[in-house]
Amino acid sequence: MNASRVLFLLLLVTTSAAASERVEDVLRDQSLHGYRSAAEAIDRLEAADRPGESAPIARRERYAAAIGYLAVTSRQPGMVAAAKQALASLDAMAREQKCGPCATEAALVRAQDALTRREPDEAERLLRVVEARLADASPDVVQNYHYSRARLYNIHGNFSGGIAEALKSADLAEKAGDEASRIRAQALMVAMTTGLADYGRAHLIAHRAYADAKRIGFTYAMASLRLNEANALGRAGLVEQQGEALDEALRLSRGQRGMEEFEAVSLSNLADHWLMQHDYKRALDYAQQAAQLARSSGDRRSLSYALTNAGVATAHLGDVEGGLALVRQAADIAQQMDARSDAVGITGELVGIYKSAGRYREALEALEKVATQQQELTQQERDKTVLEMQERYDAQARQRDIDRLAAANRIKQAELAVRAWQQRLWAALAVALALAVVPLVQWMKRVRTDNQRLSGDIAVLSEQSMHDPLTGVANRRQCQLLMDRHAGRNGEAAPMGLVLVDVDFFKQVNDTWGHAAGDRVLVEIASRLQALVRQQDTVVRWGGEEFAVLLPGTGAEGVQAFAVRALAAIAAIPIDIAGNRVDVTVSIGAAPCPLQPGVDWQHAMHVADLALYLSKSSGRNRATCITRVAPRADISLLGRDLAAAQA
C-alpha cells in the first residue's frame, strides 16, 4: 500500500510537471483571449515554466514586466507584493546586467502604478523617462507607453489628447495581434468620450468593444466596459439602461478572485443609482454589501463611498442620526487618507441630510465647512500653479537675457563696422586727394552704399530686439519701454488697462501635436488679439504662451469689454493643426494701471498676473478683471493674496 501510494504520487508530480505551460504560450494566449482577472492571469504565469537565472535576459525581462503590468492594476495587498517582486527583478537585471530595456520596462510599470494610485505628477515624470528611450524600445513598450499617456490625460481631464493616445495604443495592439490590449484601450476611450459628453459615441464604442471582449472571453474587460458604459448611460439620462449595465458588471465580477474592486465599484454605483431613483431600501442593501466587501479587501476609499451611500439611504429611511453617523465615519476615512476632494463631496452629503431633516443651523455649519475645504483645495491648486508658472518664468527670463545680450552684441559689432568704414573713408580721402577726383567720387559712393547697408542692418537688429520673432508682436523689452514712457509722459493722470492672456492647456498641445503645432497656436492667438486692438494699443509676447495687451486711456468697463471679446474671438474658431481642428481657449487676468497714485506699473502687472491665476484655478476659459482698488487699500496684501484682498 505504501509503495503504491509513493508510486502514485511520483506519477502525479511527473505528470503535473510535464503539463506545465511555457510562459511564452501563456502570454500569447492572454493577448489573444484576455483573462478573467489580473490576479488569475498572474497565477497562471507563476504556475508556468518560469525562466530561471540561466535563461536569456530578454525572456526573464518579458516575464517580470508581464507580472508587473498585471499587478499594478490593483491595490490589493497580494497584487502590491507581486508588483514589488517584479520591479525588483527588473531593477536587478538593469543594474547587474546593464539591461537597458529592463530599466525602461521598470519605469513604465512604475508609471502605471502611479496612475492607479492617482499620482499624476509622479506618472508624468516616469513617462518622460520612458519617452526619451522610445526610439530603442520594443513595440509592446511603445503600445504600453501610449496607453499610459492616455490614462494620464484622462486624470488631467484632457479627454481629446487622451483619446488620441488611446487610438495610437489600440492601432499598435491591432498590428501586433494583441486583442486584449486593443480592447483595453477602447474601454479607456469609452470613459474619455463620456468625459467629452459625447454619450452616443461612448455607448457605441462600449457596445462594439464588449462584443469583441465577449467573443474572446475577456471577462475582465467586459466588466470594465459595462461600468464605463453605465456612466455614459446615466449621464445621458438613460436610467433603466444604466441599471442593466451595472447589474451586468456586478454579475461579471461577483465572487471572482481579483475582481473585488470591480465588484465594490459596481455595488457602490448601484447604491447611488437607486438613491437617485429614491428607492432607499434597495440603495441601502447595495451600499451595505459594498461596505462589507471593502472592509474585507482593505479598500478604504471604496469603504468611504459605500458608507456615504449607506448613510444617505439610512437618513431617508427615517434614521437621521444613524445616517449622519455613517456619513461622518466616511468623512473621517477621507480625512485620514488626505483625500480632500472626497471629503468635500462627503461633507456636502451631510448638508443634504441636515436640510432634509429641517436642521438648517447644522446644515449651515456643514456648508461653511464645505466652503472652507473647497477654499483649501483651490489654494492648494493655486500654489501649485504659481510654482509651475514661476519655474517657467525663471527659465524664460534666463533665455530672454541670453537673447538680449546676443542682440546687443550684434548691434555693437555693426557699430564697430561703421567706425571701421569711417576710418577707411578718411584714409581714402587722403589718398584720393593725391591721385584723382574721379576715383575719389567712386570710392565715396561705394562707402556711402556700405554705410547705408550697415545702417539698415542696425535698424533691423534694433527692430528684432523689440519684437517677438515668432509672432511678430512686441516683446517684453518693448513693453517695458512703452510702460516707462507712458508713466513718464502721463504721470498719474491717464489710465492704462493691463491685460494678461495665457493659453489654456498649452503643454498638452505640445505633448499631443509637437512644438511646431504649439508655435502655430501662438501665432494664431497673437493674430486674433491684434485684430481686436486699436491703433494705439499694443499686443506683447510676455513670455512662453502668455501675452500682455496694453490699452492706453481705457478704464475698467473698456478692459472688461475687451476681455469678453478676446475670450469669444479665441474660442470661437478651432485652430487647424496638422489637419485637425483643435479647440483652444485662454484665461485672462486684468488690472488698472496705476493701482493707486504713486504705485508703479510693475505692481499692476503683478496683480493682473494674480488675477490670471484665479482664472486658471477657477476652471480656465474665463477672465478675472480688477476694476478698481480702494484708495486706502493695502497694496502689499493685494500683491500677496488676491482672494483675501477681495474679501
Side-chain angles (χ1 to χ4, degrees):
M1 291 292 291
N2 291 338
S4 298
R5 185 178 300 168
V6 171
L7 178 61
F8 174 76
L9 290 173
L10 285 174
L11 287 172
L12 180 62
V13 171
T14 304
T15 304
S16 299
S20 179
E21 298 178 285
R22 294 176 67 250
V23 165
E24 289 77 10
D25 294 336
V26 174
L27 290 174
R28 182 60 183 164
D29 184 65
Q30 289 178 350
S31 71
L32 289 174
H33 301 103
Y35 36 84
R36 289 194 297 179
S37 74
E40 287 200 4
I42 291 175
D43 288 346
R44 188 179 172 193
L45 281 169
E46 290 179 338
D49 182 18
R50 289 189 284 176
E53 292 297 323
S54 60
I57 193 167
R59 189 165 182 257
R60 287 184 284 145
E61 171 215 336
R62 189 180 181 198
Y63 172 78
I67 295 286
Y69 289 130
L70 288 166
V72 297
T73 60
S74 169
R75 299 305 300 161
Q76 296 288 333
M79 301 286 271
V80 172
K84 287 182 178 179
Q85 186 175 353
L87 284 168
S89 298
L90 290 169
D91 290 340
M93 288 186 282
R95 182 178 61 255
E96 297 167 8
Q97 298 176 269
K98 309 300 181 186
C99 175
C102 298
T104 303
E105 295 270 27
L108 193 50
V109 170
R110 287 190 169 95
Q112 293 202 14
D113 184 48
L115 291 166
T116 300
R117 290 182 281 110
R118 298 191 71 82
E119 295 182 2
D121 292 343
E122 176 67 8
E124 174 69 46
R125 182 187 67 79
L126 289 163
L127 287 176
R128 283 199 296 268
V129 172
V130 176
E131 185 178 15
R133 304 171 182 172
L134 279 185
D136 301 321
S138 67
D140 286 344
V141 169
V142 178
Q143 183 268 125
N144 264 315
Y145 165 79
H146 288 298
Y147 176 73
S148 301
R149 179 64 68 179
R151 290 182 65 192
L152 178 64
Y153 284 155
N154 183 39
I155 291 175
H156 282 311
N158 178 10
F159 301 122
S160 297
I163 289 171
E165 292 291 339
L167 282 170
K168 292 178 185 177
S169 176
D171 288 344
L172 290 169
E174 187 172 14
K175 289 176 182 176
D178 188 348
E179 281 286 279
S181 294
R182 178 183 66 82
I183 294 170
R184 179 187 65 169
Q186 289 177 327
L188 184 56
M189 288 172 59
V190 174
M192 293 185 290
T193 306
T194 302
L196 290 173
D198 192 352
Y199 307 128
R201 187 179 299 275
H203 176 63
L204 180 62
I205 296 171
H207 182 74
R208 290 175 177 174
Y210 182 85
D212 288 341
K214 187 176 182 179
R215 173 177 52 81
I216 68 173
F218 194 1
T219 308
Y220 184 86
M222 290 165 65
S224 175
L225 282 161
R226 277 293 183 254
L227 283 173
N228 289 345
E229 183 183 15
N231 185 29
L233 291 168
R235 293 194 183 188
L238 302 174
V239 178
E240 185 176 349
Q241 294 180 44
Q242 180 196 30
E244 293 172 356
L246 289 172
D247 285 335
E248 175 72 2
L250 180 60
R251 184 189 66 78
L252 290 165
S253 57
R254 172 159 275 172
Q256 180 68 47
R257 196 178 75 80
M259 296 280 279
E260 293 84 1
E261 287 172 304
F262 277 70
E263 184 179 353
V265 171
S266 300
L267 289 167
S268 287
N269 286 351
L270 278 165
D272 191 63
H273 169 77
W274 290 113
L275 280 175
M276 298 297 292
Q277 305 311 306
H278 307 296
D279 189 338
Y280 301 116
K281 287 185 179 180
R282 193 177 296 188
L284 180 59
D285 178 49
Y286 281 119
Q288 288 173 338
Q289 292 182 57
Q292 182 180 357
L293 183 63
R295 285 192 181 96
S296 63
S297 64
D299 186 351
R300 300 177 69 201
R301 172 163 258 161
S302 293
L303 178 59
S304 70
Y305 296 157
L307 290 173
T308 302
N309 286 331
V312 174
T314 299
H316 278 92
L317 287 170
D319 184 3
V320 175
E321 290 301 327
L324 289 171
L326 289 170
V327 177
R328 291 192 191 104
Q329 187 180 347
D332 289 340
I333 293 173
Q335 292 286 357
Q336 292 164 12
M337 295 172 58
D338 197 28
R340 298 189 178 185
S341 59
D342 290 349
V344 171
I346 293 170
T347 308
E349 296 292 351
L350 280 175
V351 175
I353 294 174
Y354 282 130
K355 281 183 64 180
S356 297
R359 295 160 63 169
Y360 298 111
R361 183 181 62 80
E362 291 164 297
L364 179 59
E365 291 174 355
L367 187 61
E368 290 174 346
K369 186 175 182 180
V370 170
T372 301
Q373 291 172 335
Q374 188 63 57
Q375 187 176 6
E376 290 173 354
L377 274 175
T378 303
Q379 181 67 32
Q380 184 182 27
E381 183 64 26
R382 175 180 173 274
D383 291 343
K384 180 181 176 182
T385 304
V386 169
L387 181 61
E388 291 174 353
M389 296 284 284
Q390 185 61 52
E391 290 175 352
R392 189 181 68 195
Y393 285 149
D394 289 344
Q396 291 168 354
R398 289 192 294 271
Q399 186 60 47
R400 284 194 301 273
D401 289 341
I402 293 171
D403 293 342
R404 191 180 300 116
L405 288 172
N409 186 49
R410 292 196 299 271
I411 292 173
K412 186 67 175 177
Q413 290 175 348
E415 290 174 345
L416 290 173
V418 170
R419 292 196 188 98
W421 279 108
Q422 288 174 342
Q423 291 172 356
R424 293 177 190 177
L425 173 61
W426 290 112
L429 283 172
V431 173
L433 287 172
L435 295 177
V437 174
V438 174
L440 173 63
V441 171
Q442 293 175 342
W443 183 265
M444 290 180 66
K445 286 182 178 179
R446 216 165 30 242
V447 170
R448 186 180 299 110
T449 301
D450 288 334
N451 277 336
Q452 290 173 348
R453 177 178 57 81
L454 287 169
S455 298
D457 288 345
I458 293 173
V460 170
L461 288 170
S462 297
E463 176 70 14
Q464 290 176 349
S465 71
M466 291 294 184
H467 287 80
D468 175 55
L470 174 65
T471 61
V473 300
N475 62 14
R476 194 161 183 161
R477 181 184 184 192
Q478 184 176 0
C479 176
Q480 291 170 336
L481 291 173
L482 289 172
M483 291 304 296
D484 290 341
R485 191 181 305 154
H486 177 81
R489 181 173 64 248
N490 297 303
E492 299 169 357
M496 165 78 80
L498 300 182
V499 180
L500 286 180
V501 181
D502 190 272
V503 183
D504 294 331
F505 302 113
F506 183 75
K507 183 178 183 299
Q508 294 174 5
V509 173
N510 281 334
D511 290 345
T512 304
W513 309 104
H515 291 283
D519 289 346
R520 170 81 180 89
V521 168
L522 293 175
V523 170
E524 182 62 27
I525 295 295
S527 175
R528 295 185 187 184
L529 290 174
Q530 287 278 59
L532 296 175
V533 299
R534 306 164 299 180
Q535 184 175 0
Q536 66 266 36
D537 301 333
T538 304
V539 178
V540 179
R541 174 91 179 274
W542 190 245
E545 66 269 24
E546 192 170 2
F547 296 84
V549 183
L550 312 183
L551 304 171
T554 302
E557 293 183 359
V559 170
Q560 292 179 68
F562 175 84
V564 171
R565 293 201 312 275
L567 288 173
I570 292 170
I573 303 174
I575 297 176
D576 185 272
I577 297 177
N580 298 281
R581 293 173 63 80
V582 179
D583 292 320
V584 176
T585 61
V586 296
S587 295
I588 293 176
C593 180
L595 293 170
Q596 291 176 345
V599 177
D600 60 25
W601 66 270
Q602 286 91 345
H603 283 79
M605 193 67 81
H606 178 62
V607 170
D609 207 22
L610 291 176
L612 174 61
Y613 294 149
L614 278 182
S615 297
K616 287 283 187 185
S617 62
S618 299
R620 297 181 170 85
N621 191 23
R622 61 188 62 203
T624 302
C625 300
I626 310 303
T627 56
R628 69 181 186 87
V629 177
R632 296 183 181 179
D634 185 350
I635 295 298
S636 62
L637 172 62
L638 188 66
R640 288 196 305 272
D641 193 324
L642 189 60
Q646 181 183 17

